[in-house]
């Protein structure tokens, strides 16, 4: 049953105020993107509605929308299932991610103030601690927060929105790899932070490009090994 597969506390009850269909969509999207609902998993409307504390109608609407967005597969006479990402899709998205985040890093190096740099350093410290303590999920969340902060420091709202959209899907594809990167990933974050603090736009872009490309190669190698 679905209730046995979701981690304890993974699904919050939704508050009623606000557009409920949007809140249900966002909740389900977050569960899929973080793989609390894994690729191939059957999504039963009634069970999801029970977890979220809502009726089946907003869940049905959310699943339809998630299908349009490419997160869910609707099968006639079978129901809804979390899509299984393909290697080709992952490779294409990782390429786009590299382009967006390298530019974000370059802009961040030209715009970041001391407070922004200090926040990057704080996230690095927390991420390194999470890795040392074996808290993989916490480290993964901090990794996402670090990349989000870099994009925020770039000062370009359109770039931030595009990067967030692509980054969320990349993390869905590459979550198993990201959990394994550990100390090396945070060493790369430290190197990037230093480049941003120094205002070195060329170096910041190069470090981010290498960082995201390394993650892409690890994903491809993992998928090849699993085949």
């Amino acid at each position: 049953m679905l209730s046995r597969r979701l981690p304890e506390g993974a699904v919050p009850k939704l508050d009623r105020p606000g557009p409920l269909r949007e809140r249900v969509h966002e909740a389900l999207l977050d569960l899929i993107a973080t793989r609390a609902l894994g690729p191939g998993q059957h999504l039963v409307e009634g069970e999801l509605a029970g977890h979220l504390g809502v009726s089946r109608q907003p869940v049905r609407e959310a699943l339809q929308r998630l299908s349009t967005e490419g997160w869910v597969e609707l099968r006639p006479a079978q129901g809804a299932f979390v899509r299984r990402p393909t290697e080709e899709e992952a490779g294409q998205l990782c390429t786009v991610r590299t382009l967006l985040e390298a530019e974000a890093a370059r802009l961040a190096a030209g715009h970041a103030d001391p407070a922004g740099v200090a926040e990057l350093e704080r996230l690095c410290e927390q991420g390194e601690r999470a890795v040392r303590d074996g808290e993989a999920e916490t480290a993964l969340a901090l990794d996402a927060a670090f990349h989000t902060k870099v994009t925020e420091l770039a000062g370009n709202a359109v770039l931030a929105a595009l990067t967030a959209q692509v980054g969320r899907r990349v993390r869905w594809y590459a979550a198993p790899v990201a959990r394994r990167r550990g100390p090396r990933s945070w060493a790369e974050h430290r190197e990037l932070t230093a480049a941003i603090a120094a205002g070195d736009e060329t170096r910041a872009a190069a470090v981010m490009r290498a960082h995201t490309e390394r993650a892409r190669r690890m994903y491809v190698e993992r998928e090849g090994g699993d085949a």
Side-chain angles (χ1 to χ4, degrees):
M1 296 292 289
L2 179 67
S3 59
R4 295 178 184 173
R5 297 186 182 183
L6 286 174
E8 183 73 23
V11 185
K13 298 295 183 183
L14 300 182
D15 295 331
R16 290 289 177 175
L20 186 59
R21 65 168 62 91
E22 292 294 331
R23 300 168 75 87
V24 171
H25 170 269
E26 187 64 22
L28 293 179
L29 177 54
D30 187 61
L31 288 168
I32 293 170
T34 59
R35 296 204 175 206
L37 294 172
Q41 186 163 347
H42 189 196
L43 303 174
V44 181
E45 287 180 8
E47 293 182 3
L48 290 171
H51 278 293
L52 296 171
V54 299
S55 68
R56 295 177 61 169
Q57 182 59 32
V59 173
R60 184 176 301 116
E61 292 174 357
L63 292 176
Q64 289 285 349
R65 180 175 168 187
L66 290 167
S67 173
T68 300
E69 295 170 345
W71 297 92
V72 167
E73 179 183 358
L74 299 180
R75 303 176 188 171
Q78 295 184 55
F81 296 80
V82 178
R83 280 195 62 237
R84 294 186 182 275
T86 69
E87 184 177 333
E88 181 180 6
E89 291 171 333
Q92 292 175 354
L93 273 167
C94 285
T95 297
V96 173
R97 178 201 183 195
T98 295
L99 293 172
L100 293 173
E101 295 211 24
E103 178 62 10
R106 185 187 72 80
L107 291 173
H111 292 88
D113 57 14
V117 173
E119 177 64 10
L120 292 178
E121 291 174 343
R122 184 185 69 82
L123 288 168
C124 284
E125 291 173 2
Q126 292 181 334
E128 290 162 349
R129 186 182 309 117
V131 170
R132 287 196 303 270
D133 294 343
E135 298 174 354
E137 296 302 322
T138 299
L140 197 60
L142 288 165
D143 177 87
F146 179 90
H147 283 264
T148 297
K149 185 63 182 180
V150 171
T151 305
E152 176 188 317
L153 293 175
N156 186 312
V158 175
L159 178 61
L162 290 172
T163 303
Q165 182 181 359
V166 171
R168 191 174 207 175
R169 197 174 289 269
V170 167
R171 282 189 288 276
W172 175 46
Y173 290 136
V177 169
R179 290 184 177 92
R180 295 192 348 248
R181 294 198 70 200
R184 182 172 186 178
S185 180
W186 289 100
E188 293 165 2
H189 288 167
R190 285 286 191 183
E191 186 179 1
L192 177 59
T193 299
I196 292 173
D200 189 336
E201 297 183 16
T202 301
R203 179 61 179 163
V207 171
M208 180 64 92
R209 190 175 296 109
H211 176 68
T212 54
E213 175 61 18
R214 194 170 291 116
R216 185 195 67 80
R217 287 201 307 270
M218 287 184 67
Y219 177 84
V220 171
E221 290 167 2
R222 176 185 183 275
E223 293 301 294
D226 290 347

